[in-house]
Amino acid sequence: MKTLVLNCGSSSIKYKLFDMTSGEVMAQGGIERVGLDGAFLKLTGANGEKVILEKDIPGHEQGINFVLEVLTDARYGCIKSFDEIDAVGHRVVHGGEKFASSMLITDEVIEKVKECSELAQLHNPANLEGIYAIRKIMPRAPQVAVFDTAFHQTMPDYAYIYGLPYELYTKYGVRRYGFHGTSHRYVSQRACRILGVPYERQRIITAHVGNGGSITAIRNGKSIDTTMGLTPVEGILMGTRCGDVDAGAIPFIMNKEGLDADGLSELINKRSGVWGVSGVSSDMREIEKACREGNRRAILALQIYTYRIRKYVGALAAVLGGVDILVFTGGVGENQCSLRAEVCSGMEFMGIRLDEERNSVRGEEAIISSPDSGTTVMVVPTDEEYMIASDTKEILG
């Protein structure tokens, strides 16, 4: 079974083609600058080389057509015809309370995804564009939607209800939803497979740490709390998102800066976080370089970043009543060994002890805790695309 996985953003399209009989990745790449000047497709060739193909791509339909052309191209492709693709799996960011699992895409599902778009105005409409494009180009191909929020639908109400008037929840759905669910589900399951322990009997904290980031508490295979909320802004400090902030500061800043709702949204989503504090970059590699050069604001940004991760690991450990497994994933979590060491520093009271040599790993599956650690600490690179392909295969039988 050949499954194409699509992740459509507002101006991007990421793709992977899987042979799910073997689990092999047949092709992967992505388009940037959809609808903008200078659009291009970047792919990884069979020999591992990176190839960039430039083309005018005014919209998602043209972009997905280009992806399919490349997949069937004599030089860069791996299939002879679109008909070889048995199914298409889509990442859909927000499923609200309507979806607690991945779903076969029908007209009814599309209407419900539209209803959730108000909660993810930058993401759901783009995800739908990908679905519409496949319907038009490959009308016979079944499609499956895999929701970032679905994994967190097992949270109890006392974990997801905010301390606001209850009518705001019943009227508008204002509550904690959580994100990165596909990643948290994949790495927690994968960690248990690596360790050979039953997933349904573990207390796990998964730290998806990258330009965006969230931390999740998983008990017996179910998410019971997570750091992101109604939107992907809440929680830990991120590349350009502020994370937790006093709600009372919001109207104060709006009045002082003369901001409307759109201006505030740009401030907390694009001008805050590591970038806003440091004034240097949202890229942790550049932040670490600036720290080595003695940049005080970069040092402060890194301290806030690691402190908030440690703070939430401790808080979620209390929620779980202890931790059996702590997993680091995401671009930063998988590659920044110094950050992992800093987050775990001082957590010996929780039974967490890192092994310095083991922790030197970058981007590979590994146990990085010492043999005498009461909590197993791991690095597990995430693979959301494989999880989407796997869900698609399972739903289609």
Side-chain angles (χ1 to χ4, degrees):
M1 179 179 181
K2 293 184 177 68
T3 302
L4 177 63
V5 173
L6 292 175
N7 179 358
C8 294
S10 57
S11 62
S12 65
I13 302 170
K14 297 176 183 176
Y15 71 91
K16 271 190 182 182
L17 180 64
F18 291 87
D19 181 344
M20 291 306 291
T21 304
S22 62
E24 172 195 1
V25 177
M26 300 176 66
Q28 61 182 316
I31 295 176
E32 299 291 337
R33 301 186 63 80
V34 173
L36 304 170
D37 292 336
F40 63 91
L41 185 152
K42 185 175 183 180
L43 63 90
T44 304
N47 59 359
E49 70 170 325
K50 303 295 183 182
V51 178
I52 294 178
L53 305 173
E54 297 182 354
K55 186 173 182 175
D56 182 36
I57 304 173
H60 287 81
E61 183 181 331
Q62 294 85 353
I64 290 172
N65 255 320
F66 189 30
V67 167
L68 293 169
E69 287 173 13
V70 171
L71 288 173
T72 55
D73 182 78
R75 180 176 180 184
Y76 301 115
C78 58
I79 57 176
K80 293 181 180 179
S81 165
F82 301 171
D83 293 336
E84 292 185 42
I85 299 174
D86 299 296
V88 181
H90 295 265
R91 179 200 182 205
V92 179
V93 168
H94 217 307
E97 291 186 323
K98 302 178 188 298
F99 301 104
S101 63
S102 302
M103 298 291 293
L104 179 69
I105 294 174
T106 62
D107 290 341
E108 182 183 2
V109 167
I110 287 175
E111 288 305 311
K112 289 182 178 180
V113 172
K114 284 182 185 177
E115 291 171 14
C116 296
S117 291
E118 190 176 15
L119 298 172
Q121 296 177 19
L122 294 177
H123 300 95
N124 276 30
N127 304 153
L128 284 166
E129 286 295 322
I131 293 168
Y132 297 147
I134 291 295
R135 275 194 160 189
K136 185 173 181 179
I137 300 164
M138 300 168 56
R140 295 182 182 178
Q143 302 186 74
V144 169
V146 179
F147 301 92
D148 274 9
T149 52
F151 181 59
H152 301 301
Q153 284 299 296
T154 51
M155 286 190 293
D157 54 4
Y158 54 78
Y160 67 70
I161 292 291
Y162 289 124
L164 296 168
Y166 192 76
E167 308 85 72
L168 295 177
Y169 166 60
T170 57
K171 289 197 294 186
Y172 309 118
V174 177
R175 52 156 285 185
R176 179 184 309 283
Y177 289 100
F179 297 87
H180 297 130
T182 308
S183 174
H184 290 296
R185 181 161 59 105
Y186 173 80
V187 299
S188 57
Q189 290 179 359
R190 180 63 187 158
C192 290
R193 282 197 292 270
I194 292 169
L195 297 174
V197 296
Y199 184 54
E200 298 77 13
R201 290 191 228 158
Q202 305 302 311
R203 298 167 299 176
I204 307 170
I205 293 177
T206 48
H208 179 111
V209 187
N211 193 48
S214 63
I215 306 175
T216 294
I218 301 165
R219 179 189 289 133
N220 303 335
K222 295 181 178 180
S223 170
I224 62 167
D225 205 350
T226 191
T227 57
M228 280 183 169
L230 173 73
T231 74
V233 176
E234 190 179 0
I236 63 175
L237 199 72
M238 293 168 252
T240 61
R241 297 178 203 149
C242 60
D244 289 346
V245 65
D246 176 7
I250 299 300
F252 179 84
I253 293 168
M254 292 178 76
N255 288 333
K256 290 292 185 182
E257 294 290 311
L259 298 175
D260 59 11
D262 290 338
L264 178 68
S265 179
E266 182 185 3
L267 175 74
I268 62 177
N269 279 287
K270 298 180 180 179
R271 292 166 46 202
S272 298
V274 171
W275 163 249
V277 174
S278 71
V280 173
S281 174
S282 62
D283 189 317
M284 290 305 296
R285 292 166 295 190
E286 294 183 26
I287 292 296
E288 287 197 326
K289 179 176 181 292
C291 288
R292 291 193 294 271
E293 294 169 353
N295 185 306
R296 293 183 64 187
R297 279 176 56 186
I299 292 169
L300 175 62
L302 186 59
Q303 286 175 329
I304 298 170
Y305 191 78
T306 54
Y307 171 79
R308 288 203 183 175
I309 297 170
R310 186 189 307 120
K311 175 181 173 180
Y312 265 118
V313 169
L316 293 179
V319 167
L320 288 167
V323 187
D324 301 309
I325 306 167
L326 169 62
V327 183
F328 287 95
T329 193
V332 176
E334 295 167 20
N335 294 290
Q336 304 280 127
C337 48
S338 58
L339 175 128
R340 296 191 300 258
E342 184 64 25
V343 168
C344 293
S345 175
M347 285 193 163
E348 290 79 11
F349 75 97
M350 284 175 48
I352 293 177
R353 292 181 176 82
L354 285 197
D355 182 291
E356 185 176 350
E357 184 176 345
R358 288 178 171 182
N359 187 42
S360 62
V361 69
R362 298 173 65 90
E364 297 177 14
E365 294 181 343
I367 296 170
I368 60 173
S369 49
S370 61
D372 63 341
S373 179
T375 297
T376 303
V377 186
M378 304 179 69
V379 176
V380 179
T382 192
D383 196 339
E384 294 166 285
E385 294 85 1
Y386 177 81
M387 185 60 80
I388 293 170
S390 180
D391 279 10
T392 301
K393 178 183 178 183
E394 183 177 348
I395 286 174
L396 297 174

